[in-house]
Structure formats: C-alpha cells, structure tokens
Amino acid sequence: MPVEITWWGHATCTVADSDVRVLTDPLFARRLAHLRRRRGALPPPDAWHADLALVSHLHADHLHVPSLARLAPGTRLLVPRGARRAVPSLRRLSHLRIEEVGPGDETRVGDLLVRAVPAAHDGRRLPVGRHRSPALGYVVEGEARTYFAGDTGLFDTMAKEVGPVDVALLPVGGWGPYLGEGHLDAGRAAEALALLGAASAVPVHYGTYWPIGMDAVRPHEFHTPGEEFVRLAASRAPQAAVHRLGHGESVRPEVTR
C-alpha cells in the first residue's frame, strides 16, 4: 500500500505506511492556554488511532498530555529523552507504552523503522522548565522514507542527519504573529526542502491555532504560509511536488524508488 499522509492541523499528521499508522505530535484541543483553534474541525476519533505516536519536543502544543490520554491502550509513544522527568504528568499515561529516545535511536514497529534525528529548537518544557530534553525530528522508513521535522530551524548538518527522504513534512509557520529562533518560515522551509532533496513535501504547523484576541495582528502570518511555501518551493526546490492539504485531507505522494 502506498504511503498516505493526512494532516489534521498544526503539527498533527497520520503517516500510514506498510500497514502501520504513525501519529505525529497529537493535538486534539479546541483551546490550549491562550490559543484557540481558528480553522479546521477538531480531528475525529479515527485520528486518535495509531500504532505509534511521535512527540518531537516538550512544548505544550507538541506534547499535549490530554490529547495523548485519548490514545488507545497499548499505543507505543516515543518522546524525547528526559521527558518523563520534565513533564511528570506523562507518568499518568500508564495505558501507553512510553519510550524515551534521542538522536540516532531507532525503533521498529512492524515493517517500519523509525529513526530519531536532531532538530534545532528549544527542548525545554516552557515557560518554566528547568530540565532539557533534545528536540527531535523523525524519519519513518517503510515503503517510503518520510521525514517529520517537528519544530526546527535550519542547521548545517540537516541533510546529513536526516539522510535521503522521499516525503518531508515541514513546518512553515507558527501560532503567533512572530516566529522566534529555531523555527522555519515558508522561505526557510523551502530552503530545507532543497537541502533534503525530497520528491514530495507537505507544509504543516500553520493556519490552525492563533492567540485569543489577536486576530487582527499580522493575520497574513496565519493565513498565507502554506501558499507562500508552495510558491517559494517551486523556485528553490523545483524537483519537489508540494501538497498543500486542508485540515483532514490526505495525499498519497508518488514514491519512485
């Protein structure tokens, strides 16, 4: 069965490959602290089903304990090394099989091999986290090699650390009017796609959550990153087919190998 990617909003995707369902950074909340979901319906219960869930880093919009609590008993969950110390509420999720990983660690699930790779991003549990955990990306290898970047900036060894991939799930925006360090905007995501040489890309991490009461503050940062990424990728990474999905939409990218 060809790989199928479904985008549920923000950084939450399902990667279905080799009869295994992998869920990235599950976030199923209508509201998170000062953020509210402004676009796209909440993911349906079917989105909660996965054989393996991946958490890229400890920020609350990526490691969201109430969303993880909805996963079925026995679901395997990969989190950055040190996550249980930094986020004690993870220990309540006794129904999940939680494994801590760091860059270079590999996990096999059925016919899939999942490799944790570095990311250039703050790994603390903000705003007050003392304990550091590595921010991660993941490469899911089965019928295709799919890279989920999590949150990251560009870094010199990105192509080497990630390795050859067929599909790249790249963040192109954020949840506020300004992006800090350790993030990709549409332009830097297009540069990352060129570095990686992937044949297909799906833009994520934009157009979903926005701070309450700030609808009129730099609204283009909410609405336009996906379209801007399509435009910039066409010139900077012309080898890649970019699939700009709506919330809940799926694509089966072509894999030529």
Side-chain angles (χ1 to χ4, degrees), residues 34-229:
H34 64 299
L35 306 178
R36 65 182 174 91
R37 191 174 180 114
R38 285 194 55 209
R39 182 181 290 170
L42 285 175
D46 181 62
W48 310 348
H49 170 67
D51 301 290
L52 175 70
L54 308 175
V55 167
S56 62
H57 63 288
L58 305 190
H59 295 174
D61 58 321
H62 294 259
L63 195 168
H64 187 245
V65 174
S67 294
L68 295 175
R70 296 182 180 182
L71 301 180
T75 303
R76 294 179 71 177
L77 173 64
L78 301 188
V79 298
R81 188 175 294 122
R84 279 177 286 203
R85 180 179 65 167
V87 188
S89 55
L90 273 174
R91 300 168 190 166
R92 298 201 303 264
L93 303 180
S94 57
H95 67 298
L96 304 180
R97 297 164 57 193
I98 301 176
E99 305 168 41
E100 296 190 354
V101 296
D105 289 346
E106 296 183 341
T107 304
R108 185 165 289 281
V109 181
D111 291 331
L112 288 189
L113 182 67
V114 179
R115 176 168 52 91
V117 299
H121 193 68
D122 191 331
R124 293 173 297 168
R125 181 71 163 184
L126 298 177
V128 295
R130 295 184 298 113
H131 302 297
R132 285 194 173 274
S133 290
L136 303 173
Y138 294 92
V139 177
V140 178
E141 183 167 358
E143 293 293 323
R145 290 169 298 210
T146 302
Y147 170 48
F148 169 62
D151 259 353
T152 187
L154 287 170
F155 55 98
D156 291 342
T157 60
M158 176 180 272
K160 178 181 177 182
E161 296 285 359
V162 173
V165 292
D166 303 298
V167 186
L169 311 182
L170 296 173
V172 300
W175 51 254
Y178 299 98
L179 282 174
E181 292 186 6
H183 293 87
L184 299 177
D185 60 10
R188 291 191 292 272
E191 291 179 37
L193 182 57
L195 284 172
L196 296 168
S200 298
V202 176
V204 302
H205 204 285
Y206 78 100
T208 308
Y209 291 91
W210 203 249
I212 294 169
M214 296 186 70
D215 290 5
V217 180
R218 295 173 62 84
H220 60 282
E221 297 292 351
F222 178 84
H223 292 286
T224 65
E227 295 173 357
E228 187 75 353
F229 175 69

Side-chain angles (χ1 to χ4, degrees), residues 227-238:
E227 295 173 357
E228 187 75 353
F229 175 69
V230 172
R231 183 181 68 81
L232 293 172
S235 61
R236 299 179 189 177

